[in-house]
Amino acid sequence: MDAASASSSAAAGPSSSSGAEPPAAAAAPPPKVAPLVQLQAPPQLQRGAAAAAFSGSGGVGCRHHAYSRKQKSLGLLCSNFVALYDREDVETIGLDDAAKRLGVERRRIYDIVNVLESVGILVRRAKNRYTWLGFEGVPAAMKELKERALRELSGSAVFPPMEESSTANLSDDEDDEKLGDADEDADSEKLSQSMDNTSDKPDAPSCRLRSDHRKEKSLGLLTQNFVKLFLTMEVETVSLDEAARLLLGEGHAESNMRTKVRRLYDIANVLSSLNLIEKTQQADTRKPAFRWLGQAKRKQEDGFTVAQPPARPSKRTFGTDLTNIDNKRGRFDSTMENKPKLMQGAGNIVKSFERQLGQGNRNDFVYGPFHPAVAKKQETDDHSVKQQERKTIQDWENLAVSFRPQYQNQALNDLFGHYVEAWKSWYLDLTRETS
DNA sequence: TGCTCCCGCCATCTC
DNA sequence: GAGATGGCGGGAGCA
């Protein structure tokens, strides 16, 4: 649909005009926002579609020259999108304008705005029009996401597996009402539509089924669910495979899972470019995973984030700094280096549940292996301490059992169990080593 | 070779 | 009915 997209973008014209949009590219007075021409694009970007973005003119003919994926990554596009619109004088954003100025298809802009809207950076106002809220909107969105997620945790449902909920518990009445008036209450539209659909409304018209099904697979909703994993589980890292399993639930076809993982890659790249997450490796498997940072901000404070040639060609960056790991293969000792992190993730789960259950003030609370490792090691010479540690294990086992949430989502249940088991085995190893 | 993820088809929704 | 939206998966870039 390249041509279709391009033509629709071009045809949309005035209907999509907004405060942030520059005049038609042909006339090309200096753009009101984000003076792209002043930005230094690397030589490899100064042609084709990317060059169009920087020059402000069409330039579609040369798209396939010197093609490089890195220059077209969603993360890079997001960085550029943010650089373009994260300014005080920007209020509304037109999708056509964004597509034109960034030199990409509308389709890609949809991907970006859906994710950005999910984390509160912008909000849909009307067809083809979004309002820029900026990074100031992120904390509120995160707070709401977390609150809702905790409500769901303390209730019965934990991130209802999207596919299941779409066929079993469909109800999006309020959402549909909002869709009827996009200008009104659009702020909370996406946030509200996310996973509050666990209430059974058997009288919901069956004609909504497909629409709801579609909605519940949306990139925006998937983004929110992905973020909620970090906000509530407080695991240190989550691989996309795990996330897909958690969000889908058990018993889904491999192709289904692959599709979900693809989408999660898209989301992760965008969130990475916002510095909400960063790419890393899982402690035990060294599988690529993502770590929650939660510090939403532009990757670079000034100007465009551009796909710089990697300092080391071996590193794959896709335009955004996806990884902060500096451990070369074969040199990294994951056994001791990563364990505390993994364990801390598990510890956080328990702490998290404790807080969620309003029991965060236990004075006798013992933080097991997630306690800073240095502090733990100093104690291990003392026999009584060892005994205390053994008792601690039992305490933790009890704690884990008593706080273990009753997930409806079996995958989530399994993950929790996985962390508890990992913690126990790590702790046993540690006490064995030190005794 | 497997991971990553861009691309664009096309179903669905909205106006 | 036309245009807008966005799910989806093929398949190519990359390490």
Side-chain angles (χ1 to χ4, degrees):
Chain A
M1 190 183 74
D2 207 358
S5 289
S7 64
S8 69
S9 298
S15 71
S16 62
S17 66
S18 70
E21 292 179 42
K32 197 166 141 194
V33 178
L36 302 182
V37 286
Q38 296 173 10
L39 295 159
Q40 288 298 315
Q44 70 269 30
L45 283 184
Q46 292 179 351
R47 56 180 173 290
F54 284 94
S55 67
S57 66
V60 270
C62 332
R63 262 186 71 174
H64 299 292
H65 291 187
Y67 172 84
S68 165
R69 282 183 90 178
K70 293 178 183 177
Q71 297 162 10
K72 299 198 155 203
S73 78
L74 220 51
L76 175 61
L77 179 60
C78 178
S79 293
N80 288 343
F81 186 93
V82 168
L84 187 57
Y85 291 110
D86 187 26
R87 302 159 70 95
E88 284 186 5
D89 55 342
V90 171
E91 283 185 7
T92 59
I93 296 169
L95 297 186
D96 292 319
D97 171 61
K100 198 183 298 171
R101 301 187 78 192
L102 293 168
V104 296
E105 297 167 33
R106 272 174 82 92
R107 180 68 197 81
R108 302 282 73 78
I109 301 296
Y110 288 129
D111 289 338
I112 301 287
V113 295
N114 281 335
V115 175
L116 293 183
E117 188 178 15
S118 298
V119 297
I121 290 179
L122 46 74
V123 64
R124 186 169 192 261
R125 283 302 175 192
K127 185 180 84 175
N128 213 356
R129 205 176 63 207
Y130 283 77
T131 296
W132 182 259
L133 301 178
F135 289 100
E136 295 76 20
V138 174
M142 293 299 118
K143 184 165 175 281
E144 181 174 346
L145 275 178
K146 184 163 188 172
E147 281 171 1
R148 194 178 323 133
L150 290 179
R151 248 181 282 133
E152 287 151 6
L153 274 169
S154 61
S156 56
V158 179
F159 314 155
M162 299 169 79
E163 313 295 304
E164 288 171 21
S165 66
S166 66
T167 52
N169 301 324
L170 291 177
S171 68
D172 259 338
D173 290 8
E174 51 181 69
D175 194 36
D176 284 357
E177 284 164 18
K178 282 173 184 155
L179 287 175
D181 184 358
D183 276 333
E184 194 178 4
D185 253 359
D187 299 83
S188 56
E189 179 183 275
K190 276 281 167 72
L191 286 177
S192 307
Q193 84 179 27
S194 71
M195 291 175 306
D196 287 338
N197 46 18
T198 52
S199 61
D200 263 327
K201 290 187 184 172
D203 53 335
S206 59
C207 63
R208 286 219 186 100
L209 288 179
R210 257 197 313 206
S211 135
D212 287 343
H213 187 72
R214 185 179 162 91
K215 202 178 298 175
E216 283 158 10
K217 289 181 173 183
S218 75
L219 204 66
L221 182 51
L222 185 58
T223 301
Q224 292 187 330
N225 286 346
F226 185 52
V227 167
K228 282 180 180 179
L229 281 183
F230 291 106
L231 293 181
T232 58
M233 296 285 293
E234 296 190 23
V235 288
E236 190 85 342
T237 61
V238 169
S239 76
L240 298 187
D241 281 352
E242 274 176 352
R245 260 199 310 278
L246 290 168
L247 297 174
L248 264 178
E250 291 292 308
H252 284 273
E254 187 60 28
S255 65
N256 213 346
M257 202 64 83
R258 261 203 317 273
T259 297
K260 196 64 72 182
V261 170
R262 282 194 191 106
R263 299 289 79 76
L264 287 172
Y265 275 119
D266 295 340
I267 292 167
N269 281 337
V270 173
L271 295 181
S272 291
S273 78
L274 299 173
N275 267 353
L276 276 170
I277 61 174
E278 69 178 356
K279 197 173 189 185
T280 177
Q281 284 183 327
Q282 273 191 329
D284 42 1
T285 62
R286 289 196 195 168
K287 268 175 57 180
F290 287 87
R291 180 206 315 276
W292 180 252
L293 298 176
Q295 301 283 322
K297 62 181 179 195
R298 281 167 58 178
K299 271 283 180 191
Q300 291 178 0
E301 288 306 317
D302 299 313
F304 259 39
T305 305
V306 291
Q308 301 290 355
R312 284 183 314 177
S314 60
K315 202 71 196 168
R316 194 183 194 192
T317 57
F318 282 104
T320 62
D321 217 353
L322 283 182
T323 170
N324 70 335
I325 50 171
D326 153 43
N327 47 320
K328 295 185 176 69
R329 279 174 202 269
R331 191 197 66 154
F332 186 64
D333 178 12
S334 71
T335 48
M336 287 315 291
E337 211 120 14
N338 271 347
K339 266 183 179 174
K341 293 182 181 172
L342 175 68
M343 294 308 117
Q344 175 156 17
N348 285 341
I349 293 176
V350 181
K351 281 189 275 183
S352 169
F353 287 127
E354 204 178 46
R355 279 199 303 276
Q356 290 156 20
L357 295 172
Q359 299 180 25
N361 290 330
R362 290 160 57 112
N363 291 330
D364 57 341
F365 192 79
V366 183
Y367 278 102
F370 318 116
H371 196 274
V374 265
K376 183 56 66 187
K377 291 255 186 188
Q378 290 168 352
E379 301 168 354
T380 48
D381 289 337
D382 189 325
H383 180 69
S384 64
V385 170
K386 287 176 198 161
Q387 287 202 322
Q388 177 62 37
E389 283 172 345
R390 289 197 190 94
K391 181 175 181 299
T392 302
I393 294 176
Q394 289 181 340
D395 289 348
W396 269 82
E397 287 173 350
N398 293 337
L399 188 66
V401 168
S402 57
F403 284 123
R404 181 170 186 139
Q406 298 304 304
Y407 292 130
Q408 288 185 341
N409 183 338
Q410 184 56 40
L412 206 52
N413 224 355
D414 291 345
L415 183 70
F416 182 85
H418 163 76
Y419 278 116
V420 171
E421 288 306 315
W423 165 76
K424 274 161 50 179
S425 98
W426 180 88
Y427 201 91
L428 285 170
D429 286 348
L430 180 66
T431 50
R432 220 172 283 132
E433 285 167 14
T434 53
S435 62

